[in-house]
């Protein structure tokens, strides 16, 4: 599976950081999850500004709406729990990788942009969903945080499937 993703610059740093991370605590997990959401909102806004494809724009709108909604719930939860999300190597790597991918996508237009954006969304959701399933959810100690992450995983799995279908339609 990783071989399939090697072309995606965005994923190289986060995957390495997640592999090296040693059992993040709940404050770090909250920051990683929140950061991943913010980055996908930013990517969605870029697609809304650059794409003229109605299917890509609808998908990007869904990414912005859903990731903002989950992040609002995450912020409410950390406030309720009186927890300060803790920056860490994984969230920093996600941010750095996303900035590089956003710059790369910024140079594209038309169908080339649409395909690259959607392919990145497929790969990004595969990585984030894998991190949620294999690292963040099992590592979470707080039941409410774990529940929010599980809800996010269900939603983001649907995002991945939507992106995969959209990618196939753009390849035609």
């Amino acid at each position: 599976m990783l071989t399939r993703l090697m072309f995606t610059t965005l994923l190289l740093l986060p995957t390495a950081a997640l592999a090296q991370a040693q059992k993040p605590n709940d404050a770090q997990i909250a920051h990683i999850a929140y950061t991943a959401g913010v980055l996908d909102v930013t990517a969605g806004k870029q697609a809304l500004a650059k794409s003229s494809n109605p299917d890509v724009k609808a998908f990007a709108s869904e990414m912005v709406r859903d990731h903002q909604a989950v992040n609002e719930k995450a912020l409410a939860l950390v406030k309720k729990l009186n927890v300060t999300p803790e920056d860490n190597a994984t969230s920093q790597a996600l941010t750095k990788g996303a900035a590089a991918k956003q710059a790369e996508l910024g140079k594209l237009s038309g169908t080339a942009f649409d395909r690259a954006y959607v392919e990145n969304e497929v790969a990004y959701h595969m990585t984030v969903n894998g991190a949620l399933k294999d690292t963040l959810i099992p590592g979470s100690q707080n039941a409410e945080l774990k529940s929010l992450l599980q809800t996010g995983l269900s939603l983001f799995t649907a995002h991945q499937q939507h992106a995969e279908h959209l990618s196939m339609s753009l390849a035609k």
Side-chain angles (χ1 to χ4, degrees), residues 8-109:
T8 307
T9 305
L10 174 61
L11 298 176
L12 296 176
L13 288 172
T15 301
L18 287 170
Q20 294 172 3
Q22 291 186 10
K23 294 186 182 181
N25 62 38
D26 282 354
Q28 292 167 331
I29 288 170
H31 198 277
I32 292 165
Y34 183 81
T35 299
V38 166
L39 297 175
D40 212 26
V41 167
T42 301
K45 288 179 178 179
Q46 182 183 35
L48 288 169
K50 290 190 65 79
S51 182
S52 59
N53 182 307
D55 293 331
V56 172
K57 288 178 93 67
F59 176 77
S61 291
E62 180 182 333
M63 294 306 98
V64 170
R65 180 195 68 224
D66 291 353
H67 285 278
Q68 282 179 332
V70 170
N71 275 1
E72 287 171 12
K73 290 179 182 178
L75 288 176
L77 178 60
V78 296
K79 184 176 179 179
K80 174 186 170 189
L81 299 175
N82 198 26
V83 172
T84 302
E86 185 180 317
D87 194 16
N88 55 79
T90 301
S91 55
Q92 291 167 6
L94 283 167
T95 301
K96 184 177 179 181
K101 181 52 81 173
Q102 186 174 15
E104 179 185 318
L105 290 172
K107 297 175 185 174
L108 301 175
S109 61

